[in-house]
Amino acid sequence: MTDEVRSQYERWIYPQPIDDLKAWAAGGGISIGDPRDYGDVYWPATGYRDGLDILVAGCGANQAATDALQHPTARVTGIDISAASLAHEERLKAKHGLKNLSLERMRLEEVGSLGREFDFIACSGVLHHLKDPVAGLRALASVLRRDGVIYVMLYGRYGRMAVYMMQDLFRIVGATEQSEEDVALVKATLPLLPPKHPLRIYAERSTDMKHDAGLVDLFLHRQDRPFTVGDVIEMTEDAGLVFQGWLEPMYYYPEAGVPENHPLYQRLERLSEADRWRAMELLGGLLSRHDFCVCRPDRPQESYRVDFDDPELPDRAVPLLRDCTLKPAANGKPAILSSPRLASITLPPALVAIFRTIDGNRTITQCLDTVDWTVSPQDLKHHGLRFFRSLSRTGHLAFRLKDLA
């Protein structure tokens, strides 16, 4: 990172420092991309395990400490360029007795100097501030174990267009020093925005506008590059890594918003996977961030790839529910698959019957074998596979992959 970026995070500690980790956790605090929450996404063959070596690359004021608290058996290392942010992490480490946490001040590109390898690397909101994001991701790849996973969050171009409009505005009027006066100007300007200004839509989803360091990070940042889906894929390939998947796939597939009988759905299904993702990013229009995971090219694909075109998948894949519950049909209303964070889905009786077979132990094939349908086995398999694929695309299901050998 440039000296200007380093100086920003020394003066404006980001994100908002947490004073008490236990109170934060008790209040429902979460770390997006957490390896326990997404263990079945990162490691479908094994799931999450204790004793991981975890690197938080660009840990800011809190993230390494929150990870150390949530994963007491893991060895957590946090690196950052900001001494002020690391000082706060050190206070959290002392306050909560986090003996499994170590902190180092360094540039992300220098991570190889640690002389260690990691099972899981979290890099949230960092690479898009580097002059060369590919070099940064390549550096992380150099310390990743063969079966390890890197979780990455990058800013999305289209969903943040209003942010970049405002960044340009404040540059034009000379608010380039990140001073208290500049921050006061930002605060005084935002209420002047017209009622239908695009930033007002963005503001409904942003927590950064509630504190000064967040305002600086949003509107006065000096090195901030957003990414499209195509950019994400290209960067992953240029870094010599393999794109493993989106953490919230519902934003990248039509299932959550395009009816199957709509002509657009049929066109989307003819596309390659990557082009389908690109199209859905444009259709949605509001993706302000991309959360995804990547891995090494020498990692065995059968340990992580869930491919519905693979004829062996139904015998290997055990469906696992992810943060969703079934509300049965009642009073003339259909059954609803609901979730606090995912789109609700209406299920007709035939699909309810399939859904009820998911128990975390049966494979797809075993689930379908228990369904009593008056259709041919071929039709049952066809419709059943489409159903499981659909719930995978919406994020309601993950899968445990069994070894058939």
Side-chain angles (χ1 to χ4, degrees):
M1 291 188 179
T2 64
D3 290 338
E4 288 184 336
V5 175
R6 180 184 290 109
S7 66
Q8 171 183 327
Y9 292 117
E10 294 290 9
R11 180 174 185 181
W12 302 97
I13 300 177
Y14 183 86
Q16 183 83 341
I18 297 171
D19 293 324
D20 188 307
L21 293 180
K22 292 184 178 179
W24 169 82
I30 60 171
S31 297
I32 184 70
D34 184 85
R36 181 179 284 109
D37 294 340
Y38 291 88
D40 294 313
V41 175
Y42 298 146
W43 300 286
T46 62
Y48 174 84
R49 62 179 175 82
D50 289 334
L52 295 176
D53 285 305
I54 296 175
L55 172 68
V56 186
C59 59
N62 309 307
Q63 191 179 357
T66 59
D67 281 7
L69 179 75
Q70 295 175 110
H71 303 276
T73 66
R75 294 167 292 276
V76 180
T77 300
I79 64 171
D80 204 276
I81 60 167
S82 167
S85 294
L86 291 174
H88 183 74
E89 294 253 19
E90 289 284 4
R91 287 191 288 273
L92 292 175
K93 176 181 178 180
K95 180 174 182 176
H96 296 280
L98 302 175
K99 296 181 179 180
N100 61 332
L101 173 62
S102 60
L103 299 163
E104 301 283 347
R105 188 185 184 196
M106 64 173 59
R107 296 169 63 243
L108 184 149
E109 297 92 334
E110 299 167 346
V111 67
S113 66
L114 292 173
R116 296 181 55 198
E117 290 187 328
F118 298 90
D119 302 297
F120 179 73
I121 299 174
C123 188
S124 177
V126 180
L127 294 176
H128 47 233
H129 294 315
L130 301 183
K131 282 188 174 180
D132 188 346
V134 172
L137 186 56
R138 192 178 292 125
L140 297 179
S142 72
V143 297
L144 183 69
R145 290 195 173 117
R146 188 199 68 166
D147 296 315
V149 173
I150 305 176
Y151 155 64
V152 182
M153 186 280 278
L154 295 172
Y155 290 151
R157 178 186 296 176
Y158 302 117
R160 279 175 60 92
M161 288 301 294
V163 172
Y164 299 116
M165 290 165 60
M166 299 305 293
Q167 286 186 8
D168 287 345
L169 166 64
F170 292 122
R171 289 191 190 102
I172 290 171
V173 300
T176 58
E177 299 301 317
Q178 298 181 336
S179 64
E180 297 282 356
E181 181 183 359
D182 289 344
V183 175
L185 176 65
V186 171
K187 291 180 177 180
T189 302
L190 294 180
L192 301 178
L193 298 177
K196 293 186 178 181
H197 192 284
L199 187 69
R200 293 196 179 276
I201 298 175
Y202 181 88
E204 294 174 359
R205 298 173 284 125
S206 174
T207 58
D208 283 345
M209 298 179 71
K210 298 178 181 179
H211 57 99
D212 289 357
L215 291 173
V216 171
D217 205 63
L218 273 175
F219 303 120
L220 303 178
H221 210 292
R222 294 162 177 162
Q223 193 162 291
D224 175 348
R225 172 196 165 183
F227 285 72
T228 64
V229 163
D231 296 332
V232 167
I233 296 170
E234 181 179 357
M235 183 185 73
T236 300
E237 294 174 347
D238 289 348
L241 291 165
V242 173
F243 183 87
Q244 186 174 335
W246 306 105
L247 264 62
E248 302 298 345
M250 65 178 175
Y251 298 117
Y252 303 90
Y253 288 99
E255 272 73 6
V258 182
E260 286 194 17
N261 60 357
H262 195 284
L264 179 62
Y265 185 94
Q266 307 305 321
R267 295 292 185 100
L268 290 168
E269 282 301 285
R270 297 173 196 165
L271 299 175
S272 67
E273 194 86 306
D275 282 344
R276 188 180 299 116
W277 298 337
R278 291 187 180 98
M280 288 306 302
E281 179 185 25
L282 294 168
L283 180 65
L286 295 177
L287 272 178
S288 60
R289 56 187 285 169
H290 298 294
D291 295 90
F292 59 98
C293 56
V294 298
C295 60
R296 284 173 38 169
D298 57 340
R299 181 183 179 191
Q301 289 192 9
E302 61 270 18
S303 72
Y304 68 88
R305 189 170 296 282
V306 178
D307 182 2
F308 278 86
D309 291 327
D310 179 359
E312 291 187 345
L313 183 74
D315 296 323
R316 295 187 61 219
V318 176
L320 305 171
L321 298 181
R322 298 195 67 242
D323 197 20
C324 62
T325 56
L326 180 67
K327 293 183 178 180
N331 301 321
K333 296 182 179 180
I336 300 291
L337 187 59
S338 64
S339 166
R341 61 180 183 83
L342 302 173
S344 294
I345 297 177
T346 300
L347 296 185
L351 296 184
V352 169
I354 297 178
F355 182 85
R356 291 189 185 281
T357 67
I358 300 172
D359 63 0
N361 295 304
R362 295 187 182 103
T363 64
I364 291 176
T365 296
Q366 291 168 337
C367 286
L368 297 180
D369 284 345
T370 65
V371 178
D372 185 17
W373 267 14
T374 56
V375 297
S376 70
Q378 293 79 13
D379 285 344
L380 175 59
K381 183 175 181 180
H382 172 74
H383 291 294
L385 282 178
R386 285 179 63 87
F387 176 62
F388 284 115
R389 187 191 68 173
S390 176
L391 292 189
S392 173
R393 287 179 170 188
T394 57
H396 291 86
L397 289 183
F399 295 90
R400 180 66 44 77
L401 296 178
K402 298 173 63 176
D403 187 355
L404 292 179

